[in-house]
Amino acid sequence: MAFLFIFSYIIIILAVIEISALLFIYTGLDKQIARFQVISMMTGTGFTTGESELILEHPLRRKISAFLILFGAFSLAVIISTISSILSENLYTKEIGYVVIILFLMILLLKLPFVRNKLVNWLKHNAEEHYDFTDLPIKDVLLTDDDDYISEYPVLEDSPFAGKKLSEIIDPEKDDVVVLYVKRGEITIRKECLSTEIQEGDDIFVYGDKDTIKKIFGEDTEGKEVKKEG
């Protein structure tokens, strides 16, 4: 019975990992990142990686992560308690079995397309309804469609943009592109970025339709693309 209890609790841990990973994915997080971060939080290892910022920046993901951290600590206590209980054979194997069944039913339910779509919409609505605009990651705020795109384009040596104004390159009335700002060393140019003459070494940050941005700035332009998660 002791070994059955241990096996059952391992199944519970795996089920919690799967459910939590699904919830992270439904908030827009990449599948591989979601699973790794869930395991990291439960074990208390690896959560200081750069990817953890994707969790900390999102209010709903922070709540899930808080549960996982507490569940991980609780699981450690259960394991220690189990070792002691093995000696007395005072185990609740039957009750644990019920928990395993319930968790697996939850996983099957969460993977149903209908439930997934409902949950994704609910999580999105919940974030918009209960959290301030500034609490959400920039990707969740700006990248609402598959064609949305944020990029940084450095003005390199011999760049065709050098010496020109962005108003000569981008037509705000026709092009679905917004210049967020121009970074020039330590200076950030926002207010007059369209009328400012671009210099070599500047970094241009733009947001808008992906195809339009590629058309204006070119496919071969070296830049840092910010994609929608997932």
Side-chain angles (χ1 to χ4, degrees):
M1 294 295 287
F3 291 106
L4 179 59
F5 177 88
I6 294 174
F7 176 77
S8 298
Y9 197 78
I10 291 174
I11 296 298
I12 289 177
I13 292 175
L14 294 176
V16 170
I17 290 174
E18 183 66 19
I19 292 172
S20 301
L22 286 172
L23 291 176
F24 276 147
I25 292 168
Y26 293 168
T27 62
L29 198 62
D30 179 77
K31 181 178 180 181
Q32 299 301 323
I33 295 176
R35 196 174 301 279
F36 177 79
Q37 289 302 318
V38 167
I39 296 173
S40 296
M41 283 178 280
M42 284 189 61
T43 59
T45 58
F47 191 58
T48 56
T49 62
E51 291 178 351
S52 63
E53 294 180 4
L54 298 174
I55 307 295
L56 299 176
E57 290 176 351
H58 196 288
L60 293 177
R61 294 172 193 164
R62 286 200 299 268
K63 287 189 174 182
I64 299 172
S65 65
F67 163 77
L68 289 171
I69 292 171
L70 293 174
F71 181 78
F74 173 78
S75 296
L76 178 61
V78 169
I79 292 172
I80 295 174
S81 176
T82 301
I83 295 174
S84 301
S85 298
I86 287 175
L87 301 177
S88 63
E89 292 296 328
N90 185 23
L91 299 172
Y92 298 92
T93 307
K94 183 178 179 181
E95 289 77 5
I96 288 294
Y98 292 147
V99 174
V100 170
I101 293 173
I102 292 172
L103 288 175
F104 265 93
L105 289 175
M106 287 180 63
I107 292 174
L108 293 175
L109 188 64
L110 287 172
K111 288 191 174 184
L112 292 175
F114 172 77
V115 176
R116 179 187 183 279
N117 293 334
K118 283 286 187 181
L119 191 55
V120 168
N121 292 332
W122 180 82
L123 289 171
K124 182 178 179 180
H125 175 75
N126 183 270
E128 294 173 350
E129 186 77 16
H130 296 92
Y131 296 98
D132 188 79
F133 180 82
T134 56
D135 290 335
L136 299 175
I138 189 171
K139 293 181 180 181
D140 288 355
V141 174
L142 296 180
L143 303 185
T144 57
D145 295 322
D146 292 337
D147 293 331
D148 290 342
Y149 195 74
I150 304 175
S151 287
E152 172 191 359
Y153 288 94
V155 181
L156 306 176
E157 186 179 0
D158 299 327
S159 169
F161 301 139
K164 292 184 178 180
K165 298 178 181 179
L166 285 174
S167 58
E168 301 173 15
I169 303 169
I170 300 173
D171 186 347
E173 295 184 0
K174 295 182 179 180
D175 298 325
D176 187 11
V177 178
V178 175
V179 179
L180 299 176
Y181 59 90
V182 175
K183 190 74 174 178
R184 180 172 295 166
E186 298 297 323
I187 301 174
T188 300
I189 305 171
R190 291 191 183 89
K191 186 176 180 181
E192 300 178 351
C193 59
L194 288 177
S195 59
T196 299
E197 186 176 291
I198 299 301
Q199 300 177 6
E200 180 184 331
D202 287 350
D203 289 305
I204 306 171
F205 291 80
V206 294
Y207 162 70
D209 177 72
K210 181 175 182 178
D211 292 337
T212 305
I213 292 175
K214 292 285 187 180
K215 181 180 179 181
I216 293 173
F217 291 91
E219 293 284 348
D220 298 329
T221 304
E222 294 184 16
K224 297 178 181 178
E225 176 184 354
V226 181
K227 296 181 179 178
K228 186 176 181 180
E229 294 173 13

